[in-house]
Amino acid sequence: MIRQFHAVFTVLFLLAQPLAAQQFVAAWVQVEAQPSLSQAQERIRAYAARLPDVNGFALGSGWYGIVLGPYTEDDAERVLRVYRAEGEIPRDSFIARTASFRQQFWPVGANLLDLPDLVEPRESIETQAVEAEPEPEMKPIDETPAEARRNEAALTREERMELQTMLQWAGVYSAGIDGAFGRGTRSAMAAWQRDNRYEPTGILTTMQRAALKRQYNAILDGLNLELVRDDTAGIEMAIPTGVVDFAAYRPPFVHFDATGELDAKVLIISQPGDQNTLFGLYDIMQTLEIVPETGPRERDRDNFVLTGRDARIVSHTEARLQGGEIKGFTLVWPSGDEERRTRLLDEMRKSFNRLDGVMSPAEGVDTEQNIDLVSGLDIRRPSLSRSGFFIDGRGTVVTTAQAVEGCEKITLDNRYDAEILGLDAAQGIAVLRATEALAPARVAALREGDPRLQSEVAVSGFSYEGRLGAPTLTFGTLSDIKGLRGESSLKRLALNALPGDAGGPVMDAGGAVFGMLLPQPEGARKLPEDVHFAADAATIRAMLQDLGITAQSDPISGTMTPEALTDHAAGMTVLVNCW
C-alpha cells in the first residue's frame, strides 16, 4: 500500500504542479474546515507533514479551511480522486474556488491571494497565551443501542431514504434507496461507524446521524445556503447567498448574480400564463447564452426540465404550470464542479415552495432595453450569419462557402439544422440541405443567359444578419458579365451590399436568379464599396448537377415592380447561421 501511494504521489507531483505565477482560474481541493484558528493550525501541520501544496485560508463566519493547491481544474479533479482512493484525505473533500477564501494563515507568511494579514481572534490569542493543564477529553453522552433503535423508529420514510443516500455517498452502501433498513443498510451503518471510530453496532445514534449529515453537507460549506422568501415572485427556496446575490427583477426572472469569481447564477422564474406561455418559455430559454445547446431536454404538458452543458458551465432549468402560474428556477454553475453542483441543485429542489401570487410583467420596467437581451439575459448568437436561397422543394440551399467554414453546427432561419452536401471553396459556393423535410414558399429559378449590361439587378439578403427577421432587397446594376481578370464565372455588380447579404440570390428585373452574391475579398487590396461580384448561374447549375440536383430554369422574363420583386425574393431567401 505504501509503495502504491508513493507511485501515485509521484504522478500527482508531476501532473498537478501548483499554479504559482501562471494565469489560470485556480481550483483547490478542500479537505477540512475547522471552527477555530488553533484547531486548523493543529490539523494543517499533520497534512503538511505528508502532502505537498497544503495551504490554509480563513473562510469567514469563524471557520478556517485546509486546502491543497492551487491547481488547474483537471489536475484538481485528479488529486481529489487519487487522494480519496488512498485514504489520504476525507471522503467529503471537494473542489473549492478562490472566491470562498479570505486571508491566508498557512504556510506562515504566505499570501497567495495578496490580501491583508489575518488578524487572529482575541479569544484564540488569549487561549494560546495561557499554559493550562489540558482537560481530559469529554465524550458526549450518547444513546444506548435500545435508545438509538427507538429514535431510529421515529424517522419518516424520507428521512430513512436520506440516511441511505448519505451512507451511499460515504462509500459504504451500494443497494437501492428504499427506506428499508435491511441487512445491507445495517452493514453500511456498521462500516461507517468503524471508519469513524465508533462501536460498530449497525444502529446509528442521533449524534452519529448528525455527524454523518455534517460530513455529507461539508461540500456546501462557504455557499451560505439560505432560505430566501420572495413575495414579489411568490416563491421561497434555498439560495447560495455566499456566491450570488439579488440583482434585479426582469420578468419573468428574478436575477441573482455572482458576487465573486465563481461563475454562478440563479434565476427565479415567476409569471402568469397558460400552456402556450410555458411552451414559449421553454423555447426562449434555449436561445439564451446561459443554456448551452448540449444536454437533455424534457417537456410535458404542464412542466419542463432542460439542462445545457459545455466546457464552461452547466445550466439546469425547471418550471411548472399550476393554477395559471408558471414558477421554477435556473441554476448556472461552473463545469468540473459536478458533485457540489448536484448537491446544491438537490437542496434547491427540496426547498422550493410556491407561495401566493406571481410576479407582474410590469415589474422592473426601468431595466435596460437591448435587442440582444431577453429579460436581461444574453441571447445566444451565431459566430457568423449569411444569406442563402432555396433551390428545390426539399430544402436544398445554395449559399456562400464563407457561411459554413469551421462551423460546429449550421442552421437555416434560426430553426432548422442543415448539413453540407457540397463545397467548392475555389468558386465560393456551398450547397446545404435541411436535416428535416421543408416546404419552401418559393424556390429560385436559374436564368439561362446573361442580363444586359447596365440593366437593373437586385440582391436579396439578410443585410443585418437576421436582426430584422426578414430579408431586404438591395438594388444596383450589372457592370460586367466577367470578373476583373476576365473570369467568365463571375458577374461584376455595382451596388452597396452588406456582409450579411453574401450568399443571397442576385436577380434580374423579372426575378430570375443569374448569380449568388460573393463576400468581399479579404486582403490588403480593398475594392470600392459599391463593387461586388456574383458567382454566375451556370457555375451554380454545374455544381448542382454534380450533386444530382436539378434546378429550375427561367428563360428571359418580363419585369416586376419593386414591391412584387421583394415579395418574390422573400419566399426563396433564407438566413444561414454558423454556430
Side-chain angles (χ1 to χ4, degrees), residues 72-145:
T72 63
E73 191 74 44
D74 290 343
D75 285 345
E77 290 287 350
R78 285 195 288 269
V79 170
L80 178 65
R81 185 169 58 253
V82 173
Y83 279 163
R84 266 182 179 173
E86 293 296 330
E88 286 295 313
I89 59 177
R91 282 196 55 80
D92 57 355
S93 301
F94 60 92
I95 303 297
R97 298 290 184 273
T98 306
S100 305
F101 303 154
R102 290 167 174 73
Q103 291 86 355
Q104 187 167 5
F105 69 86
W106 185 277
V108 177
N111 191 0
L112 294 178
L113 307 185
D114 194 24
L115 296 173
D117 292 339
L118 177 67
V119 178
E120 186 176 351
R122 180 173 301 276
E123 293 79 8
S124 297
I125 296 173
E126 292 174 352
T127 299
Q128 294 176 21
V130 176
E131 293 293 336
E133 288 294 325
E135 295 184 6
E137 183 180 351
M138 298 294 293
K139 292 187 177 181
I141 299 173
D142 207 1
E143 301 161 342
T144 66

Side-chain angles (χ1 to χ4, degrees), residues 79 140 409 428 485:
V79 170
K409 186 176 81 166
R485 296 185 177 86

